[in-house]
Amino acid sequence: MADSGWPGCARSLKGVVLDMCGVLYDSGEGDGVAIPGSIEAVKKLKASDLQLRFCTNETQATREKFVAKLQRLGFDICVSEVFSPAPAAVAVLKERGLRPHLLVYDGVLPEFDSVDKTNPNCVIIGDAAENFSYQNLNEAFRVLIGLEKPLLFSLGQGRYYKETDGLKLDVGVYMKALEYACDLKAEVIGKPSPMFFQSVLNDMGLQPHEALMIGDDLVNDVGGAQHCGMKGVQVRTGKYRPSDERHPTVTANGTVDNLARAVDMILGQRGH
Amino acid sequence: MADSGWPGCARSLKGVVLDMCGVLYDSGEGDGVAIPGSIEAVKKLKASDLQLRFCTNETQATREKFVAKLQRLGFDICVSEVFSPAPAAVAVLKERGLRPHLLVYDGVLPEFDSVDKTNPNCVIIGDAAENFSYQNLNEAFRVLIGLEKPLLFSLGQGRYYKETDGLKLDVGVYMKALEYACDLKAEVIGKPSPMFFQSVLNDMGLQPHEALMIGDDLVNDVGGAQHCGMKGVQVRTGKYRPSDERHPTVTANGTVDNLARAVDMILGQRGH
């Protein structure tokens, strides 16, 4: 399809932030598959004078395991370049002296190894998938309702995602469930939280207007980045839907077919 | 405690509607226990010239089994006097030609025996308790998201209830989850839906101002009845909390210690 708009900022750009699932690869059996052109596109960005970071709401594995998967798929990527909600949550817990009750996927538990989990004074939920049993949700609810000031953190707020065997409910659905049960508002850690994008900008030492976010999720990637003062481009891969281009509240600064095309546009404008 | 207000309508009353759990009995091990004075209070109402109906959001058993339990506890009650969401849902399904995918407690399934459930074009959720597994909720979600016009019915909208082993998440929590996942608004069947109260009034052949609702749930019993034009009295048993008497939006027409006291007030005003 034709490109739809493009931010006129490519020449003044100093950094690019990439969403991962749906931009670099599609998930599925085993490691999933790289999206055509994306491995090469990451290589080109790394060879340029732009800073590059990766920003994901993935919470089913530790960053180490997640990055190893991407490396197996052929991507030139390392753990220190990847921002995901679990390490961000650990930073929040330590800063605020909080001890979590965790309702997360088993694979991400090691990220919380360094955290005191005795006598919990908050609840953290991630994309727990099969761990979202009635019993486990009830247990998280009882911890919350037993606190003087119930405090719920949600690692993302997605509605659902696609796997090879069909659509699957994401963490946001269970966040809404617990919000209603306890009459509270959760704090979201991960995209689209401005704090999460800001931590990526801080790591690059850049101002928002110097960085561009590229993602397949209009609301969480593009809208979240824009809310933080960055530009946001949507790719027509992953969870992109044609109706995104007529979204009532979020308009991408540009929409292109895939990451390869986006990178060619950026580098082309910069005279590479 | 002292009575707090009382509707001045007792003399013109023609019917009384009673909530069940928390008014007649407290649930728990086995059949639970009758609340002191409530068996006698029901007897007195039946001996009066007032019509009497029972109105519950119970969806874990068929009406037959539920009424048999109340009879074992000592209550003079029969199936035709009891209004519960499942039969109301069956009426809606037949009227609108709908075929449901059911996510309910096993015990209530027989209520839906007469309903065509092939090739579903709507989803009905009840208080499914342990049946609210990730897999079952995902399945209900996939049915909804696959429909051209997703249609979700929720048998009640409670947040949680109390059993002997602690608080348990109620159907409203999972209603909110599916509402968020599919970006829709569920139709609630049961209290506090005005349609549900209206069906009880129709059965008695009464106008709203001729009937009084007595319940322990301020929002669903009292507020729901008031929304329908009835008066509503709250009893200080079951899920009553002192903070109910300072609720920001719902004010009961009267608050008394228990059903026995409420019935004595009603019959006393009528000169019995």
Side-chain angles (χ1 to χ4, degrees):
Chain A
M1 283 176 72
D3 303 328
S4 171
W6 186 258
C9 63
R11 278 182 212 171
S12 58
L13 269 189
K14 293 185 178 170
V16 172
V17 183
L18 301 184
D19 174 39
M20 300 178 75
C21 184
V23 175
L24 301 183
Y25 73 103
D26 281 319
S27 69
E29 298 266 337
D31 290 339
V33 289
I35 291 172
S38 61
I39 295 172
E40 189 61 28
V42 169
K43 258 189 212 140
K44 284 184 188 170
L45 283 173
K46 286 219 161 173
S48 77
D49 56 348
L50 291 163
Q51 292 203 59
L52 177 63
R53 295 291 184 279
F54 301 90
C55 191
T56 177
N57 269 9
E58 162 71 36
T59 59
Q60 287 208 349
T62 59
R63 275 192 300 181
E64 286 70 17
K65 287 209 166 179
F66 185 55
V67 165
K69 177 174 89 169
L70 273 287
Q71 288 169 343
R72 283 194 299 274
L73 288 173
F75 289 96
D76 178 16
I77 185 172
C78 65
V79 169
S80 62
E81 295 164 335
V82 174
F83 286 74
S84 70
V90 170
V92 168
L93 292 170
K94 294 193 169 169
E95 193 181 303
R96 290 161 64 174
L98 293 168
R99 302 175 306 276
H101 170 89
L102 297 173
L103 177 45
V104 298
Y105 202 77
D106 293 343
V108 83
L109 279 172
E111 294 273 18
F112 295 90
D113 275 350
S114 67
V115 171
D116 179 7
K117 292 175 280 285
T118 57
N119 188 18
N121 54 10
C122 67
V123 168
I124 294 187
I125 59 170
D127 169 24
E130 276 68 25
N131 281 350
F132 278 131
S133 64
Y134 182 69
Q135 197 184 339
N136 285 348
L137 199 67
N138 216 36
E139 198 183 337
F141 160 68
R142 288 180 186 180
V143 170
L144 279 173
I145 206 82
L147 295 174
E148 197 180 339
K149 279 194 177 175
L151 181 54
L152 172 65
F153 294 98
S154 184
L155 305 183
Q157 59 180 29
R159 294 167 193 259
Y160 56 88
Y161 53 91
K162 198 175 178 176
E163 289 203 339
T164 37
D165 58 342
L167 297 177
K168 297 215 158 184
L169 290 169
D170 199 358
V171 62
V173 169
Y174 291 88
M175 174 188 84
K176 289 291 173 185
L178 288 175
E179 284 187 343
Y180 180 71
C182 305
D183 197 16
L184 56 76
K185 188 102 186 100
E187 292 186 31
V188 177
I189 297 180
K191 297 177 284 185
S193 158
M195 219 172 63
F196 192 60
F197 287 103
Q198 191 57 54
S199 69
V200 183
L201 290 170
N202 291 348
D203 189 63
M204 296 193 287
L206 299 184
Q207 297 297 311
H209 68 270
E210 297 171 321
L212 173 71
M213 174 80 204
I214 302 176
D216 64 325
D217 185 323
L218 186 71
V219 171
N220 290 301
D221 294 331
V222 173
Q226 287 175 336
H227 203 70
C228 187
M230 299 165 67
K231 301 285 187 196
V233 163
Q234 188 181 21
V235 288
R236 295 193 186 97
T237 51
K239 67 169 70 169
Y240 162 85
R241 288 177 174 207
S243 61
D244 289 345
E245 300 192 42
R246 307 178 297 274
H247 193 277
T249 56
V250 182
T251 305
N253 298 99
T255 310
V256 296
D257 278 353
N258 50 42
L259 179 63
R261 175 67 186 160
V263 170
D264 284 346
M265 294 281 284
I266 294 166
L267 299 182
Q269 275 186 297
R270 296 169 69 84
H272 286 259
Chain B
M1 283 177 71
D3 302 329
S4 171
W6 188 259
C9 63
R11 278 182 213 170
S12 58
L13 269 190
K14 294 185 177 169
V16 172
V17 183
L18 300 184
D19 175 39
M20 300 178 76
C21 184
V23 175
L24 301 183
Y25 74 104
D26 281 319
S27 69
E29 296 268 336
D31 290 339
V33 290
I35 292 172
S38 61
I39 293 171
E40 190 59 29
V42 169
K43 259 190 211 135
K44 286 184 189 171
L45 282 174
K46 286 218 161 173
S48 77
D49 57 347
L50 291 164
Q51 293 203 59
L52 178 61
R53 295 292 184 278
F54 302 89
C55 191
T56 176
N57 269 7
E58 164 70 37
T59 59
Q60 288 207 350
T62 60
R63 275 192 300 180
E64 285 70 18
K65 289 210 165 182
F66 185 54
V67 166
K69 177 174 90 170
L70 274 287
Q71 289 169 343
R72 283 194 299 274
L73 287 172
F75 289 96
D76 177 15
I77 184 171
C78 64
V79 171
S80 62
E81 295 165 334
V82 175
F83 287 73
S84 71
V90 170
V92 169
L93 292 170
K94 293 192 171 172
E95 193 181 303
R96 291 161 64 174
L98 294 168
R99 301 177 306 276
H101 170 90
L102 297 172
L103 177 45
V104 298
Y105 202 77
D106 293 343
V108 84
L109 278 172
E111 293 273 19
F112 295 91
D113 275 351
S114 67
V115 171
D116 179 8
K117 293 176 278 287
T118 57
N119 188 19
N121 54 10
C122 68
V123 168
I124 294 186
I125 59 171
D127 169 23
E130 276 68 25
N131 281 350
F132 278 132
S133 63
Y134 182 70
Q135 198 184 337
N136 285 349
L137 199 68
N138 217 36
E139 198 183 336
F141 160 68
R142 287 181 187 180
V143 171
L144 279 173
I145 206 81
L147 296 173
E148 197 180 340
K149 279 193 176 177
L151 182 55
L152 173 64
F153 293 99
S154 185
L155 304 183
Q157 61 179 27
R159 295 167 192 261
Y160 56 87
Y161 53 90
K162 198 176 178 174
E163 290 204 340
T164 38
D165 59 340
L167 297 177
K168 296 214 159 184
L169 291 169
D170 199 358
V171 62
V173 169
Y174 290 88
M175 175 189 85
K176 289 290 174 185
L178 288 175
E179 283 188 343
Y180 181 70
C182 304
D183 198 17
L184 57 76
K185 190 103 185 97
E187 292 187 30
V188 176
I189 297 181
K191 297 177 286 185
S193 157
M195 217 171 65
F196 192 59
F197 286 103
Q198 191 56 54
S199 68
V200 184
L201 290 171
N202 291 348
D203 189 63
M204 296 193 287
L206 299 183
Q207 297 296 311
H209 68 272
E210 298 172 318
L212 172 71
M213 173 81 205
I214 302 176
D216 64 325
D217 185 322
L218 185 72
V219 171
N220 291 301
D221 295 331
V222 174
Q226 289 175 336
H227 203 71
C228 187
M230 299 164 67
K231 301 283 186 199
V233 163
Q234 189 181 21
V235 288
R236 296 195 186 96
T237 51
K239 68 170 67 170
Y240 163 85
R241 287 178 174 206
S243 60
D244 289 344
E245 300 192 43
R246 307 179 299 273
H247 193 277
T249 57
V250 182
T251 305
N253 297 99
T255 309
V256 297
D257 278 354
N258 49 43
L259 179 63
R261 175 67 186 158
V263 169
D264 285 346
M265 293 281 285
I266 294 167
L267 299 181
Q269 274 187 299
R270 296 170 70 86
H272 286 259

